[in-house]
Amino acid sequence: MSGYDKVKSQQKSAEEHYQNTVARIQQIQSQFNDSPGSGKLKGKVAVVTGVGSLKGIGRAAAILFAREGATHLYLIDYDGTNLPNLKSTIESKYPQVKVTTIQADAANEAAISGVCELALKEAGRLDVFFANAGLASMDPLHDTTVETFMNIMRVNALSCFLAVKHASTAMMKTNSSRGKDKSGGSIILTASTAGIRSGAGTVDYSAAKAAVNSIAKTSAYQLQKTDIRVNTICPGLIETGMTGATFDYARKRGTAGKIGQLNPLGRYGVAEEIANAALFLASDDSSYVNGQNIAVDGGLSASHPVVPGRWA
């Protein structure tokens, strides 16, 4: 028996693997919801954009930042529908955390410079900016219009540029009365595995996310010796409001077990797993991590997809 045949023979059936995936995700979400905070963001002031989806990365990150001791959260989304729910959810569970919700476009410079200035005025400091707002596209190359391309670039890439530009300016401000004696902070940008290599998104979406990855690397050197770190998270296939149609379609067809099968873990991810990565980057646990594009994708970007026993 060849090595690849042996690997294949040891693999679980599709149904068994799917049931294990569901159980694993339930365990992850249970731990996320029930674990006590450890104070990793104690005293920090944070901005999070793209918090509107009830299954979204931004919402999960906002709740986790509150659990971990952030004193004031500024939460932004273009669609204000779910902002009251998020605010009440955090305040009921973590009453010591102040929450300000803002309905605004994360790619609007006045909105982003304004929230950074508001944080300085009200909270006296800014420590974390998680630029998570994003938009996906579905059109193939020849159906992608200039308008679609530019809007995807605006929402996904320009929003991150604005976050770095204005958040870094605010993070350089010191305020001894609020416990910030030195410049410093963490800027986190949501990119994608589509920005690392091809095959994970449309041309416009992939180009925008590649730009986000470049913004982080370039900005890290532009901000040298300020103790302001800039990194990206590159999620793989995550079940969120943005990807909901894909998951719903697969479940309707009875092929849910195939979702995420191309990565080595053989499963999709959930927003809580990306939020945990954001917490790592927001906290001092990552104090020496800077200018990096961190894939959280089950190993998808680590290799070309491999079919055991077949090379051609």
Side-chain angles (χ1 to χ4, degrees), residues 55-66:
K55 283 188 174 183
I57 293 167
R59 180 186 176 93
I63 293 171
L64 183 58
F65 287 4

Side-chain angles (χ1 to χ4, degrees), residues 2-14:
S2 71
Y4 281 112
D5 288 337
K6 184 176 181 180
V7 169
K8 188 173 182 180
S9 70
Q10 292 173 343
Q11 290 180 341
K12 299 179 177 67
S13 69

